[in-house]
């Protein structure tokens, strides 16, 4: 009897565990506030994957609910904090599509640029995206010339342009080393025409673990 009782407890425990797991995973038909609270709980538990899943359900069940606006910004910031910039931009695009207006569009587009800026931990491996973001910053300054984010945006632009200068320098050295004269001359001309070429600057040092790979490549 004792063995049967223990076996019954094990079976009951497995059954209850499966039920609780199902309850946690298969949520549906919740109010917008209940979904919001669940997403906040997911984020408190550092479970971004669950938060993303529950946002999808929330957005499907409550297409135009005002709570979606705050939820989108929270999720975007959460992904930025975890350096998941692609997902952060997804939520910021969602925000613009659902709630973008003249009052907040400059701020959201600033967050999108900042997310891209923060993603360039290794700029030498993101040349196309870096150049594209520079154009996006220039467009931002044209469209929003008098907003409080202009100084921050201009600082990002300067750093991007500096990164491009050093990237062009590295590429020029590579072409010179490979005896590709025509390509070398193109990049040499870019360097000579750059405003940074006229400034006496200290070249930034790479961390040793990046220097091994990047200096070896460049």
């Amino acid at each position: 009897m004792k063995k049967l009782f223990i076996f019954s407890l094990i079976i009951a425990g497995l059954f209850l565990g499966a039920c609780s797991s199902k309850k946690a995973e298969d949520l549906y038909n919740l109010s917008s506030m209940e979904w919001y609270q669940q997403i906040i709980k997911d984020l408190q538990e550092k479970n971004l994957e669950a938060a993303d899943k529950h946002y999808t359900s929330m957005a499907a069940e409550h297409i135009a609910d005002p709570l979606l606006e705050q939820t989108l910004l929270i999720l975007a910031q959460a992904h930025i904090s975890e350096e998941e910039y692609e997902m952060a931009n997804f939520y910021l695009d969602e925000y613009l599509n659902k709630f973008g207006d003249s009052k907040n569009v400059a701020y959201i587009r600033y967050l999108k640029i900042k997310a891209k800026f923060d993603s360039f931990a290794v700029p030498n491996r993101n040349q196309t995206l870096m150049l594209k973001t520079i154009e996006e910053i220039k467009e931002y300054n044209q469209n929003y010339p008098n907003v409080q984010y202009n100084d921050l945006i201009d600082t990002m632009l300067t750093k991007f342009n500096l990164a491009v200068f050093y990237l062009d320098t590295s590429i020029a050295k590579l072409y010179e080393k490979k005896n590709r004269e025509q390509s070398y001359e193109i990049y040499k001309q870019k360097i000579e025409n750059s405003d940074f070429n006229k400034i006496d600057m200290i070249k930034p040092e790479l961390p040793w673990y990046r220097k091994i790979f990047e200096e070896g490549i460049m």
Side-chain angles (χ1 to χ4, degrees):
M1 289 291 293
K2 185 177 181 181
K3 289 183 179 179
L4 181 60
F5 177 70
I6 293 173
F7 180 74
S8 299
L9 285 177
I10 293 172
I11 295 298
L14 291 172
F15 178 76
L16 290 173
C19 289
S20 62
S21 175
K22 183 177 181 181
K23 184 178 180 181
E25 292 300 320
D26 299 333
L27 297 175
Y28 62 92
N29 199 25
L30 302 182
S31 69
S32 59
M33 178 55 72
E34 287 172 326
W35 279 121
Y36 176 80
Q37 291 171 341
Q38 179 62 50
I39 291 168
I40 296 300
K41 180 175 180 291
D42 295 333
L43 295 177
Q44 289 171 341
E45 295 172 352
K46 306 295 184 181
N47 193 343
L48 277 178
E49 185 177 349
D52 294 336
K53 176 183 175 182
H54 292 142
Y55 166 77
T56 300
S57 298
M58 179 185 183
E61 293 182 10
H62 305 278
I63 297 174
D65 193 281
L67 265 178
L68 286 174
E69 181 174 3
Q70 185 175 348
T71 304
L72 284 166
L73 286 180
I74 290 172
L75 285 169
Q77 294 287 3
H79 280 283
I80 289 172
S81 297
E82 293 299 317
E83 300 182 358
E84 297 178 358
Y85 303 108
E86 189 172 338
M87 281 301 298
N89 269 294
F90 165 78
Y91 284 114
L92 293 171
D93 283 335
E94 280 277 288
Y95 186 98
L96 285 173
N97 290 334
K98 291 178 180 291
F99 303 105
D101 57 35
S102 59
K103 296 179 181 179
N104 59 36
V105 67
Y107 172 64
I108 301 302
R109 293 198 182 281
Y110 158 73
L111 288 180
K112 282 177 59 63
I113 291 172
K114 186 177 184 301
K116 290 180 181 179
F117 175 80
D118 290 340
S119 73
F120 284 98
V122 188
N124 284 5
R125 299 174 191 171
N126 297 276
Q127 183 181 12
T128 300
L129 185 57
M130 182 163 55
L131 295 173
K132 183 178 178 181
T133 307
I134 288 173
E135 293 305 312
E136 189 175 336
I137 289 174
K138 291 177 180 178
E139 181 182 346
Y140 183 94
N141 282 335
Q142 288 179 350
N143 293 335
Y144 312 104
N146 299 306
V147 295
Q148 64 191 89
Y149 314 108
N150 288 133
D151 289 343
L152 296 170
I153 289 287
D154 287 340
T155 299
M156 293 181 207
L157 179 60
T158 299
K159 291 183 177 181
F160 271 127
N161 284 331
L162 182 59
V164 169
F165 174 75
Y166 278 115
L167 180 58
D168 288 344
T169 301
S170 297
I171 293 173
K173 288 179 180 177
L174 178 63
Y175 282 139
E176 185 179 26
K177 183 178 179 181
K178 299 291 185 181
N179 294 319
R180 295 178 59 177
E181 290 296 327
Q182 186 174 357
S183 298
Y184 168 70
E185 288 297 329
I186 291 172
Y187 277 89
K188 181 183 175 184
Q189 193 67 36
K190 286 185 178 183
I191 295 166
E192 290 175 351
N193 292 336
S194 172
D195 292 336
F196 292 108
N197 194 43
K198 305 176 181 67
I199 301 174
D200 186 18
M201 297 181 295
I202 299 174
K203 184 178 179 180
E205 286 292 327
L206 291 173
W208 67 267
Y209 52 87
R210 281 179 52 193
K211 184 181 293 186
I212 292 173
F213 295 99
E214 296 190 12
E215 289 194 350
I217 294 171
M218 293 296 186

